[in-house]
Amino acid sequence: MTELDFIEILSSYGTVFLVVGSFSGVLCSIVTTITLRRMDQSVAARSKSIDIVRSWSQDEYVNDVFDRMRDMLHGKERPYCDATNSLSSTASDVLNYYEAISIGISEGALNERIMKKWWRTSFVRHYIFLKETVDKHRCFHDMPSLFYEFERLALKWRIESDRVPEFPKAPTLIVPNKKS
């Protein structure tokens, strides 16, 4: 094979090389665009998560709800009203709040890692405390998927952790011995 034959073969395949080169360039552009969009969505979800945590931690209503939830954990309020077969307003508010967070995470609107770092302990603790109440409400009202996203995420976060959060203990009153 002479040099002229080699050049002739290359020129006949030149179109193929050009098409393959163009195709790989387009493919590379598509992959880059998809990657950048996913990165933008991830940055947006992180930013949105931080904004939500900041705004909720400063919201008077949300703070009131979680103050009432602390009271419920200490036995000052019941989570379920047997007379009306309904959740207490505190239990309902907390469960709806956590369900919204869970849906935001499952849909990618909120960053799970950030929300988990901020909420995991109370999320799991409140799930454990309200599980029986939610099951009772689901059964009585025939709503088996009620608060499903919250339950799914709470169980996931509970399993991912080595330690299971304990219920808060009531403070122990220590009375010093009086010497007569």
Side-chain angles (χ1 to χ4, degrees), residues 81-129:
C81 177
D82 290 321
T84 60
N85 288 305
S86 62
L87 297 168
S88 71
S89 64
T90 300
S92 179
D93 289 345
V94 168
L95 289 165
N96 283 319
Y97 180 76
Y98 286 146
E99 184 74 359
I101 290 172
S102 302
I103 291 169
I105 289 170
S106 72
E107 293 298 318
L110 297 174
N111 182 282
E112 182 174 358
R113 206 177 63 198
I114 290 171
M115 300 309 278
K116 181 179 178 183
K117 284 183 178 186
W118 189 266
W119 289 109
R120 192 200 69 78
T121 300
S122 62
F123 211 83
V124 174
R125 180 180 293 146
H126 295 164
Y127 167 74
I128 292 167
F129 181 79

Short mmCIF file of all heavy atoms in Angstrom, two decimals, residues 81-129:
data_model
loop_
_atom_site.label_atom_id
_atom_site.label_comp_id
_atom_site.label_asym_id
_atom_site.label_seq_id
_atom_site.Cartn_x
_atom_site.Cartn_y
_atom_site.Cartn_z
N CYS A 81 -58.46 12.47 70.21
CA CYS A 81 -59.71 12.65 70.96
C CYS A 81 -60.62 11.48 70.64
O CYS A 81 -61.12 11.35 69.52
CB CYS A 81 -60.36 13.97 70.58
SG CYS A 81 -61.94 14.23 71.39
N ASP A 82 -60.84 10.60 71.62
CA ASP A 82 -61.67 9.42 71.41
C ASP A 82 -63.13 9.78 71.17
O ASP A 82 -63.84 9.09 70.44
CB ASP A 82 -61.56 8.46 72.59
CG ASP A 82 -60.19 7.80 72.65
OD1 ASP A 82 -59.66 7.45 71.58
OD2 ASP A 82 -59.66 7.65 73.76
N ALA A 83 -63.60 10.86 71.78
CA ALA A 83 -65.00 11.25 71.64
C ALA A 83 -65.35 11.62 70.19
O ALA A 83 -66.42 11.27 69.69
CB ALA A 83 -65.31 12.42 72.56
N THR A 84 -64.44 12.30 69.52
CA THR A 84 -64.70 12.71 68.14
C THR A 84 -63.94 11.87 67.12
O THR A 84 -64.06 12.09 65.92
CB THR A 84 -64.31 14.18 67.94
OG1 THR A 84 -62.91 14.34 68.22
CG2 THR A 84 -65.14 15.10 68.82
N ASN A 85 -63.12 10.93 67.59
CA ASN A 85 -62.27 10.12 66.72
C ASN A 85 -61.46 11.00 65.77
O ASN A 85 -61.47 10.81 64.56
CB ASN A 85 -63.09 9.09 65.94
CG ASN A 85 -63.58 7.99 66.84
OD1 ASN A 85 -62.78 7.35 67.52
ND2 ASN A 85 -64.88 7.79 66.88
N SER A 86 -60.79 11.96 66.36
CA SER A 86 -59.98 12.86 65.54
C SER A 86 -58.66 13.16 66.23
O SER A 86 -58.51 13.00 67.44
CB SER A 86 -60.74 14.16 65.28
OG SER A 86 -61.00 14.82 66.50
N LEU A 87 -57.72 13.59 65.43
CA LEU A 87 -56.42 13.99 65.95
C LEU A 87 -56.57 15.32 66.69
O LEU A 87 -57.39 16.15 66.31
CB LEU A 87 -55.43 14.17 64.80
CG LEU A 87 -55.10 12.95 63.97
CD1 LEU A 87 -54.35 13.36 62.71
CD2 LEU A 87 -54.27 11.97 64.77
N SER A 88 -55.76 15.52 67.70
CA SER A 88 -55.74 16.83 68.35
C SER A 88 -55.18 17.84 67.34
O SER A 88 -54.51 17.46 66.38
CB SER A 88 -54.87 16.80 69.60
OG SER A 88 -53.51 16.70 69.25
N SER A 89 -55.45 19.11 67.57
CA SER A 89 -54.95 20.11 66.62
C SER A 89 -53.42 20.10 66.59
O SER A 89 -52.82 20.27 65.53
CB SER A 89 -55.48 21.50 66.97
OG SER A 89 -54.98 21.92 68.22
N THR A 90 -52.79 19.86 67.73
CA THR A 90 -51.33 19.81 67.77
C THR A 90 -50.81 18.64 66.95
O THR A 90 -49.92 18.81 66.10
CB THR A 90 -50.82 19.68 69.22
OG1 THR A 90 -51.27 20.81 69.96
CG2 THR A 90 -49.32 19.59 69.28
N ALA A 91 -51.36 17.46 67.17
CA ALA A 91 -50.92 16.28 66.42
C ALA A 91 -51.15 16.49 64.93
O ALA A 91 -50.28 16.19 64.10
CB ALA A 91 -51.64 15.03 66.91
N SER A 92 -52.29 17.02 64.58
CA SER A 92 -52.62 17.27 63.17
C SER A 92 -51.64 18.26 62.54
O SER A 92 -51.15 18.04 61.44
CB SER A 92 -54.05 17.78 63.06
OG SER A 92 -54.38 18.04 61.73
N ASP A 93 -51.36 19.35 63.26
CA ASP A 93 -50.44 20.37 62.73
C ASP A 93 -49.04 19.79 62.53
O ASP A 93 -48.41 20.00 61.50
CB ASP A 93 -50.36 21.56 63.68
CG ASP A 93 -51.62 22.40 63.68
OD1 ASP A 93 -52.46 22.24 62.76
OD2 ASP A 93 -51.79 23.23 64.60
N VAL A 94 -48.55 19.05 63.53
CA VAL A 94 -47.21 18.47 63.44
C VAL A 94 -47.13 17.45 62.30
O VAL A 94 -46.19 17.46 61.50
CB VAL A 94 -46.78 17.84 64.79
CG1 VAL A 94 -45.53 16.98 64.64
CG2 VAL A 94 -46.56 18.92 65.83
N LEU A 95 -48.14 16.58 62.23
CA LEU A 95 -48.14 15.56 61.17
C LEU A 95 -48.22 16.18 59.79
O LEU A 95 -47.53 15.74 58.86
CB LEU A 95 -49.28 14.57 61.40
CG LEU A 95 -49.08 13.64 62.61
CD1 LEU A 95 -50.40 12.96 62.98
CD2 LEU A 95 -48.00 12.61 62.34
N ASN A 96 -49.05 17.19 59.61
CA ASN A 96 -49.15 17.87 58.31
C ASN A 96 -47.84 18.57 57.96
O ASN A 96 -47.41 18.56 56.80
CB ASN A 96 -50.31 18.86 58.31
CG ASN A 96 -51.64 18.17 58.17
OD1 ASN A 96 -51.79 17.24 57.39
ND2 ASN A 96 -52.62 18.61 58.93
N TYR A 97 -47.21 19.16 58.93
CA TYR A 97 -45.92 19.83 58.74
C TYR A 97 -44.87 18.82 58.26
O TYR A 97 -44.18 19.04 57.27
CB TYR A 97 -45.54 20.45 60.08
CG TYR A 97 -44.25 21.20 60.13
CD1 TYR A 97 -44.13 22.46 59.58
CD2 TYR A 97 -43.15 20.65 60.77
CE1 TYR A 97 -42.95 23.17 59.65
CE2 TYR A 97 -41.97 21.34 60.86
CZ TYR A 97 -41.86 22.60 60.30
OH TYR A 97 -40.70 23.29 60.38
N TYR A 98 -44.77 17.69 58.96
CA TYR A 98 -43.80 16.67 58.58
C TYR A 98 -44.15 16.01 57.24
O TYR A 98 -43.27 15.64 56.48
CB TYR A 98 -43.68 15.61 59.67
CG TYR A 98 -42.91 16.06 60.89
CD1 TYR A 98 -43.26 15.59 62.14
CD2 TYR A 98 -41.83 16.92 60.80
CE1 TYR A 98 -42.54 15.97 63.28
CE2 TYR A 98 -41.12 17.31 61.91
CZ TYR A 98 -41.48 16.84 63.14
OH TYR A 98 -40.77 17.21 64.26
N GLU A 99 -45.42 15.87 56.96
CA GLU A 99 -45.83 15.29 55.67
C GLU A 99 -45.40 16.22 54.54
O GLU A 99 -44.92 15.77 53.50
CB GLU A 99 -47.35 15.06 55.65
CG GLU A 99 -47.85 14.39 54.39
CD GLU A 99 -47.54 12.90 54.29
OE1 GLU A 99 -46.89 12.33 55.19
OE2 GLU A 99 -47.96 12.30 53.28
N ALA A 100 -45.56 17.53 54.74
CA ALA A 100 -45.14 18.50 53.71
C ALA A 100 -43.63 18.42 53.48
O ALA A 100 -43.17 18.43 52.32
CB ALA A 100 -45.55 19.91 54.12
N ILE A 101 -42.86 18.33 54.54
CA ILE A 101 -41.40 18.18 54.41
C ILE A 101 -41.08 16.89 53.65
O ILE A 101 -40.26 16.89 52.73
CB ILE A 101 -40.72 18.16 55.79
CG1 ILE A 101 -40.79 19.53 56.44
CG2 ILE A 101 -39.27 17.69 55.67
CD1 ILE A 101 -40.31 19.55 57.88
N SER A 102 -41.75 15.80 54.01
CA SER A 102 -41.49 14.50 53.38
C SER A 102 -41.82 14.52 51.89
O SER A 102 -41.07 13.97 51.08
CB SER A 102 -42.31 13.42 54.07
OG SER A 102 -42.00 13.37 55.44
N ILE A 103 -42.93 15.14 51.54
CA ILE A 103 -43.30 15.23 50.12
C ILE A 103 -42.29 16.09 49.38
O ILE A 103 -41.87 15.75 48.27
CB ILE A 103 -44.74 15.76 49.97
CG1 ILE A 103 -45.74 14.71 50.47
CG2 ILE A 103 -45.02 16.16 48.52
CD1 ILE A 103 -47.16 15.22 50.60
N GLY A 104 -41.88 17.20 49.98
CA GLY A 104 -40.87 18.05 49.34
C GLY A 104 -39.58 17.30 49.08
O GLY A 104 -38.96 17.45 48.03
N ILE A 105 -39.18 16.46 50.03
CA ILE A 105 -37.96 15.67 49.86
C ILE A 105 -38.16 14.61 48.78
O ILE A 105 -37.32 14.45 47.90
CB ILE A 105 -37.55 15.03 51.20
CG1 ILE A 105 -37.02 16.11 52.15
CG2 ILE A 105 -36.49 13.94 50.98
CD1 ILE A 105 -36.81 15.64 53.57
N SER A 106 -39.29 13.90 48.82
CA SER A 106 -39.50 12.82 47.84
C SER A 106 -39.63 13.36 46.42
O SER A 106 -39.28 12.67 45.47
CB SER A 106 -40.73 11.98 48.21
OG SER A 106 -41.92 12.69 48.00
N GLU A 107 -40.10 14.61 46.28
CA GLU A 107 -40.23 15.20 44.95
C GLU A 107 -38.98 15.97 44.50
O GLU A 107 -38.94 16.51 43.42
CB GLU A 107 -41.45 16.14 44.91
CG GLU A 107 -42.77 15.41 45.06
CD GLU A 107 -43.03 14.44 43.92
OE1 GLU A 107 -42.76 14.77 42.74
OE2 GLU A 107 -43.49 13.31 44.21
N GLY A 108 -37.98 16.02 45.38
CA GLY A 108 -36.73 16.69 45.03
C GLY A 108 -36.75 18.20 45.21
O GLY A 108 -35.80 18.88 44.84
N ALA A 109 -37.82 18.75 45.76
CA ALA A 109 -37.90 20.18 45.98
C ALA A 109 -37.09 20.61 47.20
O ALA A 109 -36.67 21.75 47.30
CB ALA A 109 -39.36 20.61 46.16
N LEU A 110 -36.88 19.68 48.13
CA LEU A 110 -36.08 19.95 49.32
C LEU A 110 -34.90 18.98 49.35
O LEU A 110 -35.03 17.84 48.91
CB LEU A 110 -36.92 19.77 50.59
CG LEU A 110 -38.09 20.72 50.77
CD1 LEU A 110 -38.90 20.34 52.00
CD2 LEU A 110 -37.62 22.16 50.87
N ASN A 111 -33.80 19.42 49.88
CA ASN A 111 -32.61 18.61 49.97
C ASN A 111 -32.69 17.72 51.21
O ASN A 111 -32.74 18.22 52.33
CB ASN A 111 -31.38 19.52 50.03
CG ASN A 111 -30.09 18.75 50.07
OD1 ASN A 111 -29.73 18.24 51.13
ND2 ASN A 111 -29.42 18.65 48.95
N GLU A 112 -32.71 16.42 51.01
CA GLU A 112 -32.87 15.49 52.12
C GLU A 112 -31.75 15.59 53.14
O GLU A 112 -31.98 15.54 54.35
CB GLU A 112 -32.98 14.04 51.62
CG GLU A 112 -33.21 13.06 52.75
CD GLU A 112 -33.46 11.63 52.29
OE1 GLU A 112 -33.50 11.39 51.07
OE2 GLU A 112 -33.61 10.77 53.17
N ARG A 113 -30.53 15.74 52.68
CA ARG A 113 -29.39 15.78 53.59
C ARG A 113 -29.50 16.96 54.57
O ARG A 113 -29.27 16.81 55.76
CB ARG A 113 -28.10 15.86 52.79
CG ARG A 113 -26.90 15.32 53.51
CD ARG A 113 -25.68 15.35 52.66
NE ARG A 113 -25.44 16.76 52.37
CZ ARG A 113 -24.69 17.21 51.39
NH1 ARG A 113 -24.10 16.38 50.58
NH2 ARG A 113 -24.50 18.48 51.19
N ILE A 114 -29.88 18.12 54.05
CA ILE A 114 -30.03 19.30 54.90
C ILE A 114 -31.18 19.13 55.86
O ILE A 114 -31.07 19.39 57.06
CB ILE A 114 -30.21 20.57 54.05
CG1 ILE A 114 -28.89 20.90 53.34
CG2 ILE A 114 -30.68 21.75 54.90
CD1 ILE A 114 -28.99 22.00 52.32
N MET A 115 -32.32 18.68 55.34
CA MET A 115 -33.50 18.52 56.19
C MET A 115 -33.24 17.46 57.26
O MET A 115 -33.68 17.60 58.39
CB MET A 115 -34.73 18.18 55.35
CG MET A 115 -35.08 19.24 54.31
SD MET A 115 -35.21 20.91 54.95
CE MET A 115 -36.85 20.89 55.60
N LYS A 116 -32.53 16.41 56.91
CA LYS A 116 -32.23 15.35 57.87
C LYS A 116 -31.34 15.88 58.99
O LYS A 116 -31.58 15.59 60.17
CB LYS A 116 -31.56 14.17 57.17
CG LYS A 116 -31.25 13.01 58.10
CD LYS A 116 -30.61 11.88 57.32
CE LYS A 116 -30.24 10.73 58.22
NZ LYS A 116 -29.57 9.66 57.49
N LYS A 117 -30.33 16.65 58.64
CA LYS A 117 -29.45 17.20 59.66
C LYS A 117 -30.23 18.11 60.61
O LYS A 117 -29.93 18.17 61.79
CB LYS A 117 -28.29 17.96 59.03
CG LYS A 117 -27.23 17.06 58.46
CD LYS A 117 -26.08 17.85 57.90
CE LYS A 117 -25.02 16.89 57.38
NZ LYS A 117 -23.82 17.58 56.95
N TRP A 118 -31.19 18.82 60.09
CA TRP A 118 -31.94 19.77 60.90
C TRP A 118 -33.05 19.09 61.70
O TRP A 118 -33.28 19.43 62.85
CB TRP A 118 -32.53 20.85 59.99
CG TRP A 118 -33.13 21.98 60.76
CD1 TRP A 118 -34.44 22.10 61.14
CD2 TRP A 118 -32.47 23.12 61.28
NE1 TRP A 118 -34.64 23.26 61.85
CE2 TRP A 118 -33.42 23.91 61.95
CE3 TRP A 118 -31.15 23.56 61.25
CZ2 TRP A 118 -33.12 25.09 62.57
CZ3 TRP A 118 -30.85 24.77 61.86
CH2 TRP A 118 -31.82 25.51 62.51
N TRP A 119 -33.75 18.12 61.12
CA TRP A 119 -34.98 17.60 61.70
C TRP A 119 -34.95 16.16 62.18
O TRP A 119 -35.89 15.70 62.81
CB TRP A 119 -36.13 17.70 60.67
CG TRP A 119 -36.56 19.09 60.45
CD1 TRP A 119 -36.34 19.84 59.33
CD2 TRP A 119 -37.28 19.92 61.34
NE1 TRP A 119 -36.88 21.08 59.49
CE2 TRP A 119 -37.47 21.16 60.71
CE3 TRP A 119 -37.78 19.74 62.62
CZ2 TRP A 119 -38.14 22.20 61.32
CZ3 TRP A 119 -38.45 20.79 63.23
CH2 TRP A 119 -38.62 22.00 62.57
N ARG A 120 -33.93 15.37 61.89
CA ARG A 120 -34.00 13.93 62.11
C ARG A 120 -34.42 13.53 63.52
O ARG A 120 -35.32 12.71 63.69
CB ARG A 120 -32.66 13.25 61.78
CG ARG A 120 -32.83 11.72 61.71
CD ARG A 120 -31.53 10.98 61.86
NE ARG A 120 -30.98 11.07 63.17
CZ ARG A 120 -31.39 10.36 64.23
NH1 ARG A 120 -32.40 9.54 64.11
NH2 ARG A 120 -30.82 10.50 65.39
N THR A 121 -33.83 14.09 64.53
CA THR A 121 -34.13 13.64 65.89
C THR A 121 -35.59 13.87 66.24
O THR A 121 -36.28 12.95 66.69
CB THR A 121 -33.22 14.36 66.91
OG1 THR A 121 -31.86 14.02 66.59
CG2 THR A 121 -33.52 13.91 68.33
N SER A 122 -36.09 15.08 66.02
CA SER A 122 -37.49 15.34 66.36
C SER A 122 -38.43 14.60 65.41
O SER A 122 -39.48 14.11 65.81
CB SER A 122 -37.80 16.84 66.36
OG SER A 122 -37.59 17.40 65.10
N PHE A 123 -38.04 14.48 64.15
CA PHE A 123 -38.84 13.78 63.15
C PHE A 123 -39.10 12.34 63.60
O PHE A 123 -40.24 11.88 63.64
CB PHE A 123 -38.04 13.78 61.84
CG PHE A 123 -38.83 13.79 60.57
CD1 PHE A 123 -39.31 14.98 60.06
CD2 PHE A 123 -39.04 12.62 59.86
CE1 PHE A 123 -40.01 15.00 58.86
CE2 PHE A 123 -39.73 12.63 58.68
CZ PHE A 123 -40.22 13.83 58.17
N VAL A 124 -38.04 11.64 63.97
CA VAL A 124 -38.15 10.23 64.37
C VAL A 124 -38.83 10.13 65.74
O VAL A 124 -39.70 9.28 65.94
CB VAL A 124 -36.76 9.54 64.37
CG1 VAL A 124 -36.86 8.14 64.94
CG2 VAL A 124 -36.20 9.50 62.95
N ARG A 125 -38.44 10.99 66.65
CA ARG A 125 -39.05 10.96 68.00
C ARG A 125 -40.55 11.19 67.92
O ARG A 125 -41.33 10.47 68.55
CB ARG A 125 -38.42 12.03 68.88
CG ARG A 125 -39.00 12.06 70.28
CD ARG A 125 -38.36 13.12 71.14
NE ARG A 125 -36.95 12.76 71.37
CZ ARG A 125 -35.97 13.64 71.48
NH1 ARG A 125 -36.22 14.92 71.39
NH2 ARG A 125 -34.75 13.24 71.69
N HIS A 126 -40.98 12.15 67.13
CA HIS A 126 -42.41 12.44 67.00
C HIS A 126 -43.13 11.32 66.26
O HIS A 126 -44.29 11.02 66.57
CB HIS A 126 -42.63 13.79 66.33
CG HIS A 126 -42.12 14.94 67.16
ND1 HIS A 126 -41.93 16.19 66.64
CD2 HIS A 126 -41.77 15.02 68.47
CE1 HIS A 126 -41.49 16.99 67.59
NE2 HIS A 126 -41.38 16.29 68.71
N TYR A 127 -42.46 10.72 65.28
CA TYR A 127 -43.07 9.57 64.60
C TYR A 127 -43.34 8.44 65.59
O TYR A 127 -44.42 7.87 65.62
CB TYR A 127 -42.17 9.07 63.46
CG TYR A 127 -42.62 7.72 62.96
CD1 TYR A 127 -43.76 7.59 62.18
CD2 TYR A 127 -41.94 6.55 63.34
CE1 TYR A 127 -44.20 6.33 61.77
CE2 TYR A 127 -42.37 5.31 62.93
CZ TYR A 127 -43.50 5.21 62.14
OH TYR A 127 -43.95 3.98 61.75
N ILE A 128 -42.33 8.11 66.41
CA ILE A 128 -42.49 7.03 67.39
C ILE A 128 -43.65 7.36 68.34
O ILE A 128 -44.49 6.51 68.63
CB ILE A 128 -41.18 6.81 68.18
CG1 ILE A 128 -40.10 6.25 67.25
CG2 ILE A 128 -41.39 5.89 69.36
CD1 ILE A 128 -38.70 6.27 67.84
N PHE A 129 -43.68 8.60 68.80
CA PHE A 129 -44.71 9.01 69.75
C PHE A 129 -46.11 8.98 69.12
O PHE A 129 -47.08 8.58 69.77
CB PHE A 129 -44.40 10.43 70.26
CG PHE A 129 -45.39 10.93 71.27
CD1 PHE A 129 -45.33 10.51 72.59
CD2 PHE A 129 -46.38 11.82 70.90
CE1 PHE A 129 -46.24 10.97 73.52
CE2 PHE A 129 -47.30 12.28 71.82
CZ PHE A 129 -47.23 11.86 73.14
#
